[in-house]
Amino acid sequence: NKEILEKLFLSKLNKSFLGVSINSKTVKKNNLFIPIKGKYKDGHAYIPEALKKNAALSVSSNKKVRNFKGKILHTPNTKNFLNNLAMEKRLNSSASIIAVTGSSGKSSVKEILGKYLKVFGDTYYSPRSFNNEYGVPLSICNLEKSHKFGVFEIGMSKSGEINALSKIVKPHLGIITNVAEAHIENFKDLNGIARAKAEIIDNISDNGFLVIDRDGKYFKYFEKIAQKKGLIIISFGFSEKANIRVTKVKYIKDNKKITVNIFNKKYNLLLKKGYVKNILILLAVLKILNLKIDKIQNKIKNIE
């Protein structure tokens, strides 16, 4: 973090931080506080509060802000700084990076992946639904050297947003949960929403992976774009053509016992609650990352 700051400010600052916050109420000790100027409030007014809570540093685009014992770093635009810091943090991370988009289910999938990847190594995943122009770069800014896996949620309300955000995330593995009529008011039709979701594909690393629903209406559309980019496509669903597919569902009281075929290897899983396809996405990710499914097989029943 010290080296990244010195690179961004082109100066030998000899200052560091751990963790980034844009909300003075959630600032933790040694954080870097980045005040954002919003429509109604200016985050610069909360710099004293953030430093009182033992933030290590704060950036500021307002030169009138008191320097608080050298803890203020001046930058022309704090939102641009947030994005630039995120890009540098991503560049310096050796974690396997996963990005989740789709019309629904993004937060659930992100939470499931984050919690279950923790079984295999230090994992960072977006807190709550941090999936917009502030939440995505902020989440990336909190990636540290120790993290083995990073899981990020990417949302949108109009065309171009997924492209801009996934350019920052640069995932090795992209997931499109589904295409539905969320934010349809900003698009001509469902095809426009599918085109917007497909923006993530252009920003997946070379030789990376795309996880998509084999049962979905736009499977062929996404597959074609991903093939053109040379990505490895892993499909999930109930279709016999899916790489990871449900072959049997049995109801036992309040539970579901499902048989899943993963590249021709069978697994029996007991589920208390939860959307079956979210579990299939988890299994797809574990398979791609060469992680042992057996290690979490008995824990899957606790997923909500």
Side-chain angles (χ1 to χ4, degrees):
N1 290 335
K2 175 178 167 290
E3 287 167 14
I4 288 170
L5 277 182
E6 290 179 347
K7 185 177 178 183
L8 289 173
F9 285 98
L10 304 171
S11 173
K12 195 104 176 116
L13 295 171
N14 205 23
K15 294 177 188 293
S16 193
F17 64 90
L18 186 64
V20 176
S21 178
I22 60 171
N23 182 348
S24 61
K25 288 180 171 52
T26 61
V27 164
K28 293 186 172 75
K29 190 179 178 183
N30 295 326
N31 275 185
L32 167 64
F33 179 62
I34 303 178
I36 301 292
K37 194 169 184 180
K39 196 174 177 182
Y40 303 107
K41 288 183 178 180
D42 185 348
H44 286 79
Y46 300 91
I47 290 175
E49 185 187 339
L51 294 175
K52 206 176 268 184
K53 287 186 168 181
N54 292 317
L57 299 163
S58 174
V59 292
S60 170
S61 61
N62 183 349
K63 290 193 174 172
K64 290 178 182 174
V65 169
R66 196 161 58 84
N67 201 358
F68 292 99
K69 299 177 184 172
K71 289 186 174 185
I72 305 292
L73 300 171
H74 290 285
T75 185
N77 183 304
T78 54
K79 188 185 174 191
N80 288 348
F81 176 82
L82 176 69
N83 285 329
N84 292 336
L85 178 63
M87 287 187 272
E88 282 299 323
K89 290 282 280 193
R90 173 65 189 89
L91 201 63
N92 283 274
S93 173
S94 57
S96 294
I97 303 294
I98 300 157
V100 186
T101 194
S103 295
S104 63
K106 294 183 294 296
S107 295
S108 299
V109 168
K110 178 259 300 176
E111 289 288 319
I112 288 167
L113 292 177
K115 284 172 184 170
Y116 284 84
L117 284 172
K118 276 190 169 181
V119 173
F120 301 93
D122 201 0
T123 303
Y124 182 82
Y125 54 105
S126 310
R128 300 189 296 284
S129 290
F130 276 30
N131 63 20
N132 64 9
E133 61 182 318
Y134 298 108
V136 172
L138 177 63
S139 296
I140 292 285
C141 283
N142 281 286
L143 259 182
E144 297 298 342
K145 280 279 189 187
S146 63
H147 290 125
K148 195 175 175 184
F149 308 105
V151 188
F152 304 94
E153 182 183 340
I154 298 177
M156 64 137 211
S157 56
K158 58 183 188 287
S159 183
E161 289 180 339
I162 288 176
N163 183 46
L165 296 175
S166 53
K167 261 190 174 71
I168 297 171
V169 178
K170 289 185 174 66
H172 302 110
L173 195 166
I175 298 162
I176 302 175
T177 58
N178 51 35
V179 175
E181 292 188 346
H183 303 294
I184 191 74
E185 69 279 3
N186 297 329
F187 295 90
K188 190 178 172 185
D189 52 26
L190 212 53
N191 293 345
I193 292 176
R195 277 193 295 276
K197 300 298 178 197
E199 290 169 8
I200 196 173
I201 299 171
D202 290 330
N203 296 299
I204 296 171
S205 308
D206 293 342
N207 305 312
F209 295 83
L210 177 68
V211 175
I212 39 177
D213 187 348
R214 191 69 181 74
D215 309 324
K217 181 183 174 183
Y218 292 96
F219 172 78
K220 289 281 184 194
Y221 172 69
F222 293 140
E223 181 186 47
K224 197 175 173 184
I225 298 169
Q227 281 174 340
K228 221 178 236 182
K229 196 173 186 287
L231 301 178
I232 299 160
I233 299 149
I234 305 293
S235 63
F236 63 90
F238 291 86
S239 164
E240 285 188 7
K241 293 177 181 175
N243 303 126
I244 294 170
R245 63 192 174 93
V246 175
T247 57
K248 199 174 174 184
V249 179
K250 190 178 177 185
Y251 291 89
I252 308 163
K253 291 185 180 175
D254 295 333
N255 299 330
K256 267 185 267 192
K257 186 181 180 182
I258 62 169
T259 303
V260 183
N261 188 313
I262 303 173
F263 287 89
N264 299 319
K265 187 176 177 185
K266 284 188 178 180
Y267 289 86
N268 288 310
L269 305 168
L270 191 67
L271 309 180
K272 276 186 182 174
K273 293 178 183 174
Y275 188 45
V276 170
K277 286 194 174 178
N278 290 353
I279 310 302
L280 299 185
I281 293 170
L282 169 63
L283 297 173
V285 170
L286 296 180
K287 181 71 180 169
I288 289 165
L289 296 174
N290 289 317
L291 301 171
K292 288 185 178 176
I293 292 165
D294 308 28
K295 201 169 177 181
I296 59 129
Q297 196 170 349
N298 293 328
K299 294 181 175 146
I300 283 176
K301 68 174 184 288
N302 299 320
I303 288 178
E304 292 184 6

